[in-house]
Amino acid sequence: MNNLLEENLKYVDDVLKQAETYEHAVRVLNYDLETICPTGGMSEQGKTIAFLANQAFRLKKDEKFIEAAEFLYQQRDSLGEFDRTLAELLHRERQKTKNLTPDEEHRLEQVYNKAYEDWLEAKKVSDYSVFLPSLQAVRDANLREVELREQPLPNVYDNLLDDYERGMRSEKLDEIFTKCLERLTPLLDRITHSKKRIRTDFLHRLVSDEQQREMAEFLLGTIGFDFKRGAFTTTEHPFTDGLARDDARVTTHYYPADFASSMYSIIHEGGHALFEQLQPAENFDHHIQMEKTMGQHESVSRFYEKRIGRSEAFVHLIYPDVKRIFPEAMYDVSERELYEALNVVEPSLIRTEADEFTYTLHIIIRYELEKRIVAGEADLTRLPETWADMYEKYLGVRPSNDREGVLQDVHWASGFGYFPTYALGNMYNAMYYNKMAEDMDIDETVANGDFEKINGWMAEHVFKKADRLAPGEWIRDITGRELTPDDFLDYLENKYTELYEL
Amino acid sequence: MNNLLEENLKYVDDVLKQAETYEHAVRVLNYDLETICPTGGMSEQGKTIAFLANQAFRLKKDEKFIEAAEFLYQQRDSLGEFDRTLAELLHRERQKTKNLTPDEEHRLEQVYNKAYEDWLEAKKVSDYSVFLPSLQAVRDANLREVELREQPLPNVYDNLLDDYERGMRSEKLDEIFTKCLERLTPLLDRITHSKKRIRTDFLHRLVSDEQQREMAEFLLGTIGFDFKRGAFTTTEHPFTDGLARDDARVTTHYYPADFASSMYSIIHEGGHALFEQLQPAENFDHHIQMEKTMGQHESVSRFYEKRIGRSEAFVHLIYPDVKRIFPEAMYDVSERELYEALNVVEPSLIRTEADEFTYTLHIIIRYELEKRIVAGEADLTRLPETWADMYEKYLGVRPSNDREGVLQDVHWASGFGYFPTYALGNMYNAMYYNKMAEDMDIDETVANGDFEKINGWMAEHVFKKADRLAPGEWIRDITGRELTPDDFLDYLENKYTELYEL
């Protein structure tokens, strides 16, 4: 490597280290804000966070830094894989923000902040009209952001989608979701008309917070969460945050009459945390540790939560401990009954509570709607009715108010393009599950509780290059195939045909 | 106010606002470090904290800021009370650090960091010789700091003492502690020889964490802690931290076989928090909210914990709830038995577990030792024996190892002059308790649970000027008298003569 290249690399590294120090502080302050900060302190803490985030932003907006970063991008073919990834990442960021003046950025930020507040209020009073003006403003803000980009993609929606799932295009998504609808719709019809009765009464028996905490710790330990390099606590809305190289935190929430909710929420968040904990240390050395897409991350969390966590093998593994920790709730429940109850399929109104089968249908509804919104083809004033009609069409249920309908999710308060990544996660992990199955008997490994083996495979095949490759290349690198929903759909068909005795 | 004065005030205000934003972040990150941060993340978080603290330090070291601050100091007689306090505060800070180069400061910081690590290790293995080299280095570092000051006080120890308790001098302390010994020693002898037997068995009955948490919340609520402007959680070592204007946090620790420990720890920390929550908002506007001395702060925490919290009136107030929350531990305990058990006097080895009577003797031992250490009159190699001899002399007990002797406290790892403030706290609050008694029947007010009245008096008389006046002026302002240990000693004599039927 020549001297000029090294000099520029060193300069970029120095600036990013400093920016990351600010960003580390921002993450800790945000974590504190969401977990323990009293309401009185929130406003001041919000200001401190904004100040520190701005310091990081300024460092990266500095002319000399930009020049060095662009130099690296021009010379990217002479760089090693990690450094090239970084150069490309910085170039992409720069393309997105180059024409965005600080004033305009501030104005857009205010649109999203107001939209979030309006959404909170609208959901509280279950009145879409409270959110409508902000939703229109958010759409305009999203369009404006795209307009300001260097070389935007021709399809406006694709630009937004690309922010969450690099390289993904709506043309590909249309194809994937069409396939899903073709196979899921008739199968769902057979399931809902099946004679099979699944017992779920015991899932709603009362279990104390203390017992649920013990269960959460047990489950995190079971899947191999490293408590020395992570923490866990409770919040209203569970989340995972990789605060630092050796500090990945998960949160959960306990409902006294729904013990399965916190069990699978903690496995889901634990999956996100494993992805953070088991990524290559080089990611941090080269400042690319945040390059995982939403779809990649959701693929991992859902792999642990759904694919592994709700399998018969896993239920077999944890059954004795579930009985031990929840003796009052589980005294008359067999292993098979627990497995079946955890996999019941039921068309419902709320996405976050949906089973793995109907979940994709919730996503398709949002995807179709947001494409139309971005294209200016949706009548926003009639959105609640359109939403309800689509729920009726795809899931056979109809929301009776806005809160359980169009207002249920926060995402549209900051824009469009996020939702599809949830569904893509299932498709990625179905593909790499099949690849993993070539190397081991997964059910046997899970039933033995050998998560060192499972996680070792994930680290080597799934986690290793996630930050270096766009998801399309990444899944090809893991499986040798292009992204397809087939593996996921086959899995659903097999699993639910057996479960519902179809 | 003339223009130049206003300009300089504005400049100083702007810089301090920015420095305080960094300091706010540092406090949140430190709080996180002590409460939830996993061991793996500590090192990186420590670096981020040091970076942010350094940013604040740089802002205050800036030449233009220093000039503006010194200008305000020269013109202090033209300033309002709050601004004058700030000008004086900045001037004092400047005098202490003016000749301290960044390199030398870094070197001293390393001495203290190493001493802390050595102390931890020494205490762990209970071997003073592991700590000895660092203790010598800490003494030298403290002396060096004094040497570098502008116009240090003639008595070296007084300079250190002044850092923790502004305006206090060892001459005054000698006088105070001599009086204490004169009156406490014979009284302690009578107590230990008294025939009175106090029942304490039930204090060691098992109580769950959940019950203790409920009790902690009940006690904080009882004394008027504002949960909207504060938070509470658990840590190994309980502490209070005023993180921001509307964010004062307390922590506690639960021992299954010692419920009284967490009860009084939470009242102690709650007292510190009330001091933070009920101080004048102007303190923050004028950047003087950190000017409370250790002695002032301890006077308030001990006022709530000891003077109020262990009074018969308070025990009367909480007795029904103690029985309700700890039914298994309290089923056969009368109100009087609870009161007596909470006030038992017992000479012991560990300061932090000492009763309010013997506590002062623990402090006097440390005070006498640290004066000699600073003066170079103590043989540091023989410190454990000297310590043990003094415990035997003053308290009639002798440590059997270093861990329960000279290594028990962390304080000397960062220097000398801190300990006396603990004892001074008791003397201040005994004086203002007597003043308060002129305005209300305190026992009746406490027994009625009217903490709005108690806290209102404290806010008006005790909290209001704590940041504006040095402790000597402050106690004179509250009580019209000079600091004296008499009120405290009279209180002890009356209380324990009755309790032990002397």
Side-chain angles (χ1 to χ4, degrees):
Chain A
M1 211 184 283
N2 66 47
N3 276 347
L4 205 52
L5 212 49
E6 266 181 35
E7 254 172 51
N8 280 288
L9 263 178
K10 168 97 178 58
Y11 186 78
V12 164
D13 180 58
D14 284 346
V15 172
L16 287 179
K17 267 187 192 140
Q18 212 172 103
E20 282 176 0
T21 304
Y22 284 115
E23 286 158 358
H24 179 207
V26 165
R27 286 194 297 274
V28 177
L29 268 83
N30 264 320
Y31 178 85
D32 181 276
L33 200 66
E34 299 207 43
T35 52
I36 176 110
C37 184
T39 50
M42 286 180 176
S43 145
E44 189 162 341
Q45 195 145 319
K47 282 181 205 151
T48 298
I49 290 169
F51 172 81
L52 296 172
N54 188 257
Q55 298 303 106
F57 185 76
R58 275 164 195 265
L59 287 170
K60 292 196 213 167
K61 272 283 189 182
D62 182 76
E63 211 45 58
K64 200 175 156 201
F65 174 75
I66 288 165
E67 271 171 34
E70 281 300 318
F71 178 83
L72 294 181
Y73 182 71
Q74 299 308 330
Q75 307 288 319
R76 63 190 179 281
D77 292 334
S78 325
L79 295 171
E81 194 182 346
F82 284 100
D83 288 329
R84 195 175 63 242
T85 304
L86 175 63
E88 287 168 353
L89 179 174
L90 293 172
H91 178 72
R92 280 198 306 276
E93 268 187 14
R94 181 75 187 133
Q95 280 202 310
K96 280 181 189 167
T97 57
K98 200 169 175 180
N99 304 318
L100 190 60
T101 62
D103 278 359
E104 179 123 31
E105 206 225 0
H106 184 66
R107 188 184 67 75
L108 295 173
E109 207 49 54
Q110 283 178 313
V111 169
Y112 302 131
N113 288 342
K114 176 155 179 19
Y116 176 67
E117 282 168 29
D118 287 349
W119 171 77
L120 276 179
E121 177 60 22
K123 187 170 180 184
K124 199 170 138 196
V125 297
S126 192
D127 182 354
Y128 171 74
S129 73
V130 173
F131 182 50
L132 175 60
S134 261
L135 184 62
Q136 285 164 330
V138 165
R139 185 195 52 196
D140 294 345
N142 267 205
L143 296 182
R144 177 70 183 148
E145 277 190 58
V146 172
E147 195 177 80
L148 287 171
R149 290 187 188 179
E150 293 273 295
Q151 305 175 300
L153 299 162
N155 178 331
V156 178
Y157 181 77
D158 282 349
N159 291 279
L160 303 171
L161 181 60
D162 192 83
D163 287 352
Y164 297 105
E165 198 65 6
R166 198 146 40 87
M168 181 51 64
R169 301 291 174 260
S170 48
E171 200 181 340
K172 175 87 179 165
L173 271 184
D174 288 343
E175 187 192 306
I176 287 173
F177 286 147
T178 302
K179 265 198 190 177
C180 289
L181 282 176
E182 277 169 14
R183 291 184 61 185
L184 292 179
T185 311
L187 191 54
L188 179 59
D189 191 59
R190 288 167 66 205
I191 290 173
T192 51
H193 289 91
S194 129
K195 295 265 178 303
K196 170 81 180 177
R197 286 297 159 261
I198 292 177
R199 193 190 152 193
T200 57
D201 61 304
F202 58 89
L203 292 181
H204 305 293
R205 289 177 180 161
L206 292 183
V207 168
S208 75
D209 281 11
E210 197 41 51
Q211 287 169 296
Q212 297 199 49
R213 211 195 54 74
E214 189 185 345
M215 174 58 74
E217 231 172 72
F218 162 73
L219 289 169
L220 284 175
T222 299
I223 65 170
F225 178 80
D226 183 349
F227 288 95
K228 288 210 184 86
R229 298 175 58 232
F232 106 91
T233 180
T234 56
T235 41
E236 181 67 27
H237 302 286
F239 65 89
T240 303
D241 199 352
L243 275 77
R245 189 186 292 231
D246 297 305
D247 185 2
R249 308 199 191 165
V250 298
T251 74
T252 189
H253 189 95
Y254 307 128
Y255 299 97
D258 190 357
F259 66 77
S261 167
S262 86
M263 281 178 67
Y264 284 88
S265 158
I266 201 75
I267 301 176
H268 180 96
E269 302 305 333
H272 282 306
L274 287 173
F275 200 173
E276 295 292 323
Q277 292 186 331
L278 298 175
Q279 68 180 307
E282 292 96 326
N283 284 356
F284 292 94
D285 299 334
H286 296 268
H287 312 286
I288 62 164
Q289 72 278 10
M290 307 288 273
E291 273 299 278
K292 300 164 195 67
T293 67
M294 298 310 305
Q296 289 175 321
H297 238 302
E298 282 296 315
S299 85
V300 174
S301 58
R302 281 160 195 279
F303 174 80
Y304 287 92
E305 178 205 350
K306 307 283 192 197
R307 196 63 201 258
I308 298 293
R310 293 184 196 255
S311 70
E312 276 202 273
F314 190 75
V315 171
H316 176 73
L317 171 69
I318 66 170
Y319 177 71
D321 292 286
V322 180
K323 284 198 79 146
R324 174 178 60 79
I325 299 171
F326 302 151
E328 305 89 348
M330 288 289 298
Y331 73 97
D332 64 348
V333 182
S334 72
E335 192 178 307
R336 177 73 193 182
E337 282 175 323
L338 179 59
Y339 166 71
E340 289 187 354
L342 291 172
N343 286 287
V344 84
V345 172
E346 199 159 21
S348 63
L349 293 166
I350 308 294
R351 175 185 63 84
T352 54
E353 293 166 15
D355 56 81
E356 86 180 318
F357 190 99
T358 57
Y359 191 85
T360 308
L361 301 172
H362 290 260
I363 295 303
I364 292 174
I365 292 169
R366 286 156 178 77
Y367 169 66
E368 292 193 359
L369 281 175
E370 66 179 21
K371 263 199 314 180
R372 282 190 240 160
I373 292 172
V374 170
E377 292 162 3
D379 178 357
L380 287 186
T381 62
R382 290 203 65 255
L383 203 59
E385 292 75 36
T386 315
W387 177 286
D389 291 346
M390 291 178 81
Y391 261 80
E392 191 144 11
K393 179 176 162 201
Y394 289 130
L395 285 153
V397 293
R398 195 175 179 91
S400 57
N401 59 51
D402 295 344
R403 195 204 313 252
E404 61 181 29
V406 69
L407 291 178
Q408 68 183 262
D409 293 309
V410 65
H411 305 61
W412 285 346
S414 46
F416 308 95
Y418 191 129
F419 282 120
T421 65
Y422 289 122
L424 290 171
N426 290 328
M427 293 159 200
Y428 294 136
N429 75 35
M431 289 178 72
Y432 57 69
Y433 182 97
N434 289 340
K435 184 71 187 170
M436 182 188 267
E438 294 173 13
D439 293 343
M440 70 180 88
D441 182 332
I442 300 178
D443 280 340
E444 192 187 304
T445 312
V446 168
N448 289 333
D450 189 356
F451 275 86
E452 216 174 301
K453 193 166 170 186
I454 300 278
N455 297 345
W457 196 96
M458 291 292 281
E460 181 59 30
H461 296 84
V462 175
F463 302 162
K464 193 168 167 183
K465 298 192 190 164
D467 296 84
R468 276 178 278 166
L469 302 176
E473 306 160 55
W474 166 77
I475 198 67
R476 208 183 306 126
D477 179 76
I478 303 169
T479 65
R481 296 185 295 142
E482 295 296 318
L483 172 63
T484 164
D486 295 342
D487 301 52
F488 179 58
L489 295 169
D490 290 346
Y491 154 69
L492 289 183
E493 192 164 299
N494 291 334
K495 175 168 179 174
Y496 291 96
T497 301
E498 189 273 336
L499 184 60
Y500 279 91
E501 301 162 10
L502 302 177
Chain B
M1 213 185 282
N2 66 47
N3 277 346
L4 205 52
L5 211 50
E6 265 180 34
E7 254 172 50
N8 281 288
L9 263 177
K10 170 99 178 55
Y11 187 78
V12 164
D13 179 58
D14 284 347
V15 172
L16 288 178
K17 267 187 191 141
Q18 213 172 102
E20 282 175 1
T21 303
Y22 284 115
E23 285 158 358
H24 179 208
V26 165
R27 286 193 298 274
V28 177
L29 268 81
N30 263 321
Y31 177 85
D32 181 275
L33 200 65
E34 300 207 43
T35 53
I36 177 111
C37 185
T39 49
M42 286 179 177
S43 144
E44 189 162 342
Q45 195 144 320
K47 282 181 205 151
T48 298
I49 289 169
F51 172 81
L52 295 172
N54 188 257
Q55 298 301 107
F57 184 75
R58 274 163 195 266
L59 286 170
K60 292 196 213 166
K61 272 282 189 183
D62 182 78
E63 212 44 59
K64 200 175 156 201
F65 174 75
I66 288 164
E67 271 170 35
E70 281 299 318
F71 177 83
L72 293 181
Y73 182 70
Q74 300 307 331
Q75 306 288 319
R76 64 190 178 281
D77 292 334
S78 324
L79 295 171
E81 194 182 346
F82 284 100
D83 288 329
R84 195 174 62 240
T85 303
L86 174 63
E88 287 168 352
L89 179 174
L90 293 172
H91 179 71
R92 280 198 306 276
E93 269 187 14
R94 180 77 187 130
Q95 280 202 310
K96 281 180 189 166
T97 58
K98 199 169 174 180
N99 304 318
L100 190 59
T101 63
D103 278 358
E104 179 123 32
E105 206 225 0
H106 184 65
R107 191 185 65 77
L108 295 173
E109 207 49 53
Q110 284 178 312
V111 170
Y112 301 132
N113 287 343
K114 176 156 179 17
Y116 176 67
E117 282 168 28
D118 288 349
W119 171 77
L120 277 179
E121 178 59 23
K123 187 171 179 183
K124 199 169 139 197
V125 297
S126 193
D127 182 353
Y128 171 74
S129 73
V130 174
F131 182 50
L132 176 60
S134 261
L135 184 62
Q136 286 163 329
V138 165
R139 185 195 51 194
D140 294 345
N142 267 204
L143 295 182
R144 178 68 183 149
E145 276 190 57
V146 171
E147 194 177 81
L148 287 172
R149 289 187 189 179
E150 292 274 294
Q151 305 175 300
L153 299 163
N155 178 330
V156 178
Y157 181 78
D158 282 348
N159 292 279
L160 304 170
L161 181 60
D162 191 85
D163 287 352
Y164 297 104
E165 198 65 7
R166 196 146 41 85
M168 182 51 64
R169 301 290 174 261
S170 49
E171 199 182 341
K172 174 86 179 166
L173 272 184
D174 288 343
E175 186 192 309
I176 287 173
F177 287 147
T178 303
K179 264 198 190 177
C180 289
L181 283 177
E182 278 169 12
R183 289 183 62 184
L184 293 179
T185 310
L187 192 54
L188 180 60
D189 191 58
R190 287 168 66 204
I191 290 172
T192 51
H193 289 91
S194 128
K195 296 264 177 303
K196 171 80 179 178
R197 287 296 158 263
I198 293 177
R199 192 190 154 194
T200 57
D201 61 303
F202 58 90
L203 292 181
H204 306 294
R205 290 177 179 162
L206 293 183
V207 168
S208 75
D209 280 11
E210 197 40 53
Q211 287 170 296
Q212 296 198 50
R213 212 195 54 74
E214 190 185 344
M215 174 59 74
E217 229 171 71
F218 162 73
L219 290 170
L220 284 175
T222 300
I223 64 169
F225 178 80
D226 183 348
F227 289 94
K228 289 210 184 88
R229 296 174 60 232
F232 106 91
T233 180
T234 57
T235 42
E236 181 66 26
H237 301 286
F239 65 88
T240 302
D241 200 350
L243 275 78
R245 191 187 291 231
D246 296 306
D247 185 1
R249 308 198 191 166
V250 297
T251 74
T252 189
H253 189 95
Y254 307 128
Y255 300 96
D258 189 357
F259 66 77
S261 167
S262 86
M263 281 177 68
Y264 283 88
S265 158
I266 201 75
I267 300 176
H268 180 96
E269 303 305 334
H272 281 307
L274 287 172
F275 201 174
E276 295 292 323
Q277 292 186 329
L278 298 175
Q279 68 180 306
E282 291 96 325
N283 285 356
F284 292 94
D285 299 333
H286 296 268
H287 313 286
I288 62 165
Q289 73 277 10
M290 308 287 274
E291 272 300 277
K292 300 165 195 68
T293 67
M294 299 310 303
Q296 289 173 322
H297 237 303
E298 282 297 312
S299 84
V300 173
S301 58
R302 282 160 194 279
F303 173 81
Y304 286 93
E305 178 204 351
K306 306 284 191 197
R307 194 64 200 258
I308 299 292
R310 294 185 194 254
S311 69
E312 276 203 273
F314 190 75
V315 172
H316 176 74
L317 171 68
I318 66 171
Y319 177 72
D321 293 284
V322 180
K323 283 197 79 145
R324 174 177 61 79
I325 299 171
F326 302 152
E328 305 89 347
M330 288 289 296
Y331 73 97
D332 63 348
V333 182
S334 72
E335 192 178 309
R336 178 71 193 182
E337 283 175 322
L338 179 60
Y339 166 70
E340 290 187 353
L342 291 172
N343 287 287
V344 83
V345 172
E346 199 158 22
S348 63
L349 292 167
I350 308 295
R351 176 186 62 84
T352 54
E353 293 166 15
D355 56 80
E356 86 180 318
F357 190 99
T358 57
Y359 191 85
T360 308
L361 301 172
H362 290 261
I363 296 303
I364 291 173
I365 292 168
R366 286 155 178 78
Y367 169 66
E368 292 193 0
L369 281 174
E370 67 179 20
K371 263 198 315 180
R372 282 190 240 160
I373 293 171
V374 170
E377 292 162 5
D379 178 357
L380 287 186
T381 61
R382 292 205 63 257
L383 204 59
E385 292 76 38
T386 316
W387 177 286
D389 290 344
M390 291 179 81
Y391 260 80
E392 191 144 11
K393 179 177 161 201
Y394 290 131
L395 284 155
V397 293
R398 195 175 182 91
S400 58
N401 59 51
D402 294 344
R403 195 203 313 250
E404 62 182 27
V406 69
L407 291 178
Q408 67 183 263
D409 294 308
V410 65
H411 305 61
W412 286 344
S414 46
F416 309 94
Y418 191 130
F419 282 120
T421 65
Y422 289 123
L424 290 171
N426 291 328
M427 293 159 201
Y428 295 135
N429 76 34
M431 289 178 70
Y432 56 69
Y433 182 98
N434 288 340
K435 185 71 187 170
M436 183 190 266
E438 294 173 14
D439 293 341
M440 71 179 87
D441 181 333
I442 300 176
D443 280 341
E444 193 187 304
T445 312
V446 169
N448 289 333
D450 189 356
F451 274 86
E452 217 175 299
K453 193 167 170 185
I454 300 278
N455 297 345
W457 195 96
M458 291 292 281
E460 180 59 29
H461 296 85
V462 175
F463 302 162
K464 193 169 168 183
K465 297 193 192 164
D467 295 84
R468 277 178 276 166
L469 302 177
E473 305 161 55
W474 165 76
I475 197 67
R476 207 183 307 125
D477 179 75
I478 304 169
T479 65
R481 294 185 296 140
E482 294 298 318
L483 172 63
T484 165
D486 294 342
D487 300 52
F488 178 58
L489 296 169
D490 290 346
Y491 154 68
L492 289 183
E493 191 165 299
N494 291 334
K495 176 168 179 173
Y496 292 96
T497 300
E498 189 272 338
L499 184 60
Y500 280 91
E501 301 163 9
L502 303 176

